[in-house]
Amino acid sequence: MAQQINLLTPILLAPRRYFSALTLLQATGLLLVAAAAATLWLQQRDRHAEAEHQALLAGYATERQQLTVARAGLPVPLDGNALQQQLMPLLTGNDERRALLQALGAEGGGKPGRRHSDLLALIARSLPEAAWLGELNYAPGRVELIGGTLDTAVLRPWLGQLAGHPLLAGQELSALRVERVGTPGLNASSNPLLAGTSPVAQAGLPVWAFRVVSAPAAAASGATR
């Protein structure tokens, strides 16, 4: 009878070891290195976060100090009654100016040829070469001209031309005062060209000072009689 002899006996083989001491030691070392690296990274993040937190707190402190200084510099709040009292004169002034503008508009200040600026332009345009103005006062219905001239004959035609303006309807311009410069009591300080030290006076030319005021035609005619 044939027999089979098996020369490979599993009992005689060396047992296989999957987790040796060296393998466990290497794994433990890797874990320790990874844990140390993670610890250092977390510590660095904590230090960076702490630095940002401190910088944020410092910024808040600076802004709080600036806000305190700004609040200290604010004016004391005014009482509502005091503000109302300060506002009333302004409103009154606005009402007066509005009424004046309406009055000027009602008198034809916005129509061509009847504007107050047209009258002033006529005065400047028609002023004779031998005369000059040192002062001009104008209000609705009243004109006052103060100046000087080298020839009094040019005043009457000039005043007649001004009297024909629509805004001076019913008014009459009359030379209320014409005096030669140098007359005792004549006050020429309002017009430098009438002063004794002016080039005209130093040249020895005769200079007359005049003052013209518009007045109602009836009153002016009654005064002449």
Side-chain angles (χ1 to χ4, degrees), residues 123 133 135-136 143-147 158-159 162 210-212:
I123 294 175
L133 290 180
E135 184 177 349
L136 190 154
V143 178
E144 181 181 7
L145 305 174
I146 300 176
W158 176 53
L159 296 178
L162 296 181
F210 67 88
R211 177 176 179 270
V212 180

Side-chain angles (χ1 to χ4, degrees), residues 84 86-98:
Q84 187 68 20
Q86 294 178 2
L87 182 61
M88 290 303 297
L90 298 178
L91 295 177
T92 303
N94 290 336
D95 294 338
E96 293 176 354
R97 294 181 181 90
R98 188 179 299 107

Side-chain angles (χ1 to χ4, degrees), residues 87-164:
L87 182 61
M88 290 303 297
L90 298 178
L91 295 177
T92 303
N94 290 336
D95 294 338
E96 293 176 354
R97 294 181 181 90
R98 188 179 299 107
L100 178 60
L101 291 176
Q102 292 177 355
L104 293 177
E107 293 179 3
K111 298 179 180 179
R114 296 184 59 88
R115 293 187 294 260
H116 301 90
S117 58
D118 295 336
L119 176 60
L120 300 180
L122 175 62
I123 294 175
R125 186 173 58 252
S126 62
L127 183 66
E129 294 183 358
W132 60 88
L133 290 180
E135 184 177 349
L136 190 154
N137 299 318
Y138 175 71
R142 184 180 185 277
V143 178
E144 181 181 7
L145 305 174
I146 300 176
T149 181
L150 299 177
D151 185 6
T152 58
V154 301
L155 294 179
R156 188 175 297 277
W158 176 53
L159 296 178
Q161 184 178 1
L162 296 181

